[in-house]
Amino acid sequence: MEEDMDEGQTQKGCLECCIKCLGGIPYPSLIATILLYAGVALFCGCGHEALSGTVTILQNYFEVVRGPVDSLDVFTMIDIIKYVIYGIASAFFVYGILLMVEGFFTSGAIKDLYGDFKITTCGRCVSAWFIMLTYIFMLAWLGVTAFTSLPVFIYFNIWTICQNATILEGVTLCLDPRQYGIVPIGEGKTVCTGSEKFYKMCESNELDMTFHLFVCSLAGAGAAVIAMIHYLMVLSANWAYVKDACRMQKYEDTKSKEEQELHDIHSTRSKERLNAYT
């Protein structure tokens, strides 16, 4: 009987501990972190593969040749963008962890463990810093989203021409990479409807796959923007919580001081009355 009671108390203690742990998780920050990681992974992974597909299309169908090592051509720009993608993936992986830690330290569980003073001294400055940094990153991701929409627009035009090439008989449509600044003006790398290269490119998997990869990359950038907005909402709520905690701490300090002063005055008067009586 006693063993059953001990087991029941142990299970009850474990259940209370699990409930307390689950209650201390900052779920809004967790949702925003998952959305940020999903968006960054989608943008970086699909964007990297789409850029590789672009290189294949330019070399196989437009016959664009890679320039010397010291020259700044379209292939060098693609390589630079790939390195930027590597930096974005690693940087926002770390930033998501930092925002999760900030969410934990402004949750109610940390308040119960360490009290309001620990939160209001360091958490107030940290919350303000993260709000400013997240707002800057949100603007940066808006710019990345706008930049990612450009290749989506270009590939949509190419895909539309391929779809309508058989419908418009007798009309010659040409794809000229010079219109988009991909090759210098002096180089003519046009591919027109009716040519063998045009039909090979339209029937190839590279064009269709690269177009859809850029669309997924654009969706990932949009998800990152939504995650940044969600983070701003969470950080603003944490800032308000820390600010209220600071005010409450000041109120409690003032109240305790006044009560202590009243207690001291009452004690002093009692002593004076006792001395006068004796």
Side-chain angles (χ1 to χ4, degrees), residues 99-121:
L99 289 176
M100 273 297 297
V101 172
E102 194 274 341
F104 272 108
F105 274 92
T106 51
S107 62
I110 300 300
K111 177 183 176 182
D112 295 336
L113 290 175
Y114 298 103
D116 288 335
F117 183 74
K118 291 288 184 180
I119 297 176
T120 55
T121 50

Side-chain angles (χ1 to χ4, degrees), residues 191-204:
V191 175
C192 298
T193 57
S195 62
E196 184 179 358
K197 290 182 181 180
F198 177 81
Y199 288 112
K200 285 184 177 180
M201 181 183 66
C202 292
E203 293 175 357
S204 64

Side-chain angles (χ1 to χ4, degrees), residues 117-193:
F117 183 74
K118 291 288 184 180
I119 297 176
T120 55
T121 50
C122 66
R124 196 170 183 180
C125 296
V126 171
S127 296
W129 171 256
F130 275 121
I131 288 173
M132 181 185 67
L133 201 60
T134 304
Y135 182 75
I136 294 173
F137 284 150
M138 185 198 69
L139 295 179
W141 274 109
L142 284 174
V144 171
T145 305
F147 179 77
T148 310
S149 63
L150 295 178
V152 173
F153 175 73
I154 293 173
Y155 274 98
F156 178 74
N157 289 336
I158 297 174
W159 182 77
T160 304
I161 292 175
C162 289
Q163 296 296 319
N164 298 328
T166 56
I167 299 176
L168 301 175
E169 297 180 358
V171 179
T172 303
L173 301 176
C174 295
L175 300 174
D176 192 352
R178 292 178 296 181
Q179 298 176 346
Y180 308 106
I182 297 176
V183 298
I185 301 297
E187 297 182 8
K189 302 292 183 180
T190 59
V191 175
C192 298
T193 57

Side-chain angles (χ1 to χ4, degrees), residues 10-276:
T10 303
Q11 293 178 357
K12 184 178 179 181
C14 293
L15 181 61
E16 292 178 353
C17 182
C18 292
I19 293 174
K20 186 176 181 180
C21 292
L22 292 175
I25 297 175
Y27 290 101
S29 297
L30 180 63
I31 294 172
T33 302
I34 294 173
L35 185 60
L36 176 64
Y37 283 168
V40 172
L42 195 62
F43 170 78
C44 294
C46 295
H48 183 275
E49 294 302 317
L51 291 173
S52 300
T54 301
V55 172
T56 303
I57 291 173
L58 290 176
Q59 289 178 342
N60 294 341
Y61 304 108
F62 290 92
E63 297 181 353
V64 180
V65 181
R66 184 182 291 270
V69 179
D70 56 347
S71 63
L72 185 63
D73 56 357
V74 61
F75 299 106
T76 306
M77 293 296 297
I78 288 176
D79 293 336
I80 292 173
I81 295 174
K82 285 183 178 180
Y83 284 114
V84 172
I85 287 175
Y86 300 151
I88 289 174
S90 58
F92 278 92
F93 175 77
V94 176
Y95 190 67
I97 294 175
L98 292 177
L99 289 176
M100 273 297 297
V101 172
E102 194 274 341
F104 272 108
F105 274 92
T106 51
S107 62
I110 300 300
K111 177 183 176 182
D112 295 336
L113 290 175
Y114 298 103
D116 288 335
F117 183 74
K118 291 288 184 180
I119 297 176
T120 55
T121 50
C122 66
R124 196 170 183 180
C125 296
V126 171
S127 296
W129 171 256
F130 275 121
I131 288 173
M132 181 185 67
L133 201 60
T134 304
Y135 182 75
I136 294 173
F137 284 150
M138 185 198 69
L139 295 179
W141 274 109
L142 284 174
V144 171
T145 305
F147 179 77
T148 310
S149 63
L150 295 178
V152 173
F153 175 73
I154 293 173
Y155 274 98
F156 178 74
N157 289 336
I158 297 174
W159 182 77
T160 304
I161 292 175
C162 289
Q163 296 296 319
N164 298 328
T166 56
I167 299 176
L168 301 175
E169 297 180 358
V171 179
T172 303
L173 301 176
C174 295
L175 300 174
D176 192 352
R178 292 178 296 181
Q179 298 176 346
Y180 308 106
I182 297 176
V183 298
I185 301 297
E187 297 182 8
K189 302 292 183 180
T190 59
V191 175
C192 298
T193 57
S195 62
E196 184 179 358
K197 290 182 181 180
F198 177 81
Y199 288 112
K200 285 184 177 180
M201 181 183 66
C202 292
E203 293 175 357
S204 64
N205 293 326
E206 288 88 356
L207 180 63
D208 188 67
M209 182 63 67
T210 304
F211 172 56
H212 288 90
L213 284 173
F214 271 121
V215 172
C216 293
S217 180
L218 179 62
V225 172
I226 296 174
M228 290 292 104
I229 295 174
H230 196 168
Y231 268 129
L232 282 176
M233 296 169 61
V234 173
L235 291 170
S236 299
N238 290 341
W239 169 260
Y241 166 75
V242 171
K243 192 175 180 181
D244 291 340
C246 182
R247 291 178 178 177
M248 184 61 68
Q249 181 66 39
K250 291 180 180 179
Y251 172 75
E252 293 293 338
D253 292 340
T254 305
K255 184 179 178 180
S256 62
K257 287 180 181 179
E258 291 178 354
E259 290 178 353
Q260 185 65 35
E261 290 176 357
L262 290 174
H263 179 71
D264 293 340
I265 292 172
H266 181 72
S267 299
T268 303
R269 289 181 179 179
S270 297
K271 290 180 180 179
E272 290 177 352
R273 289 177 184 178
L274 181 60
N275 292 331

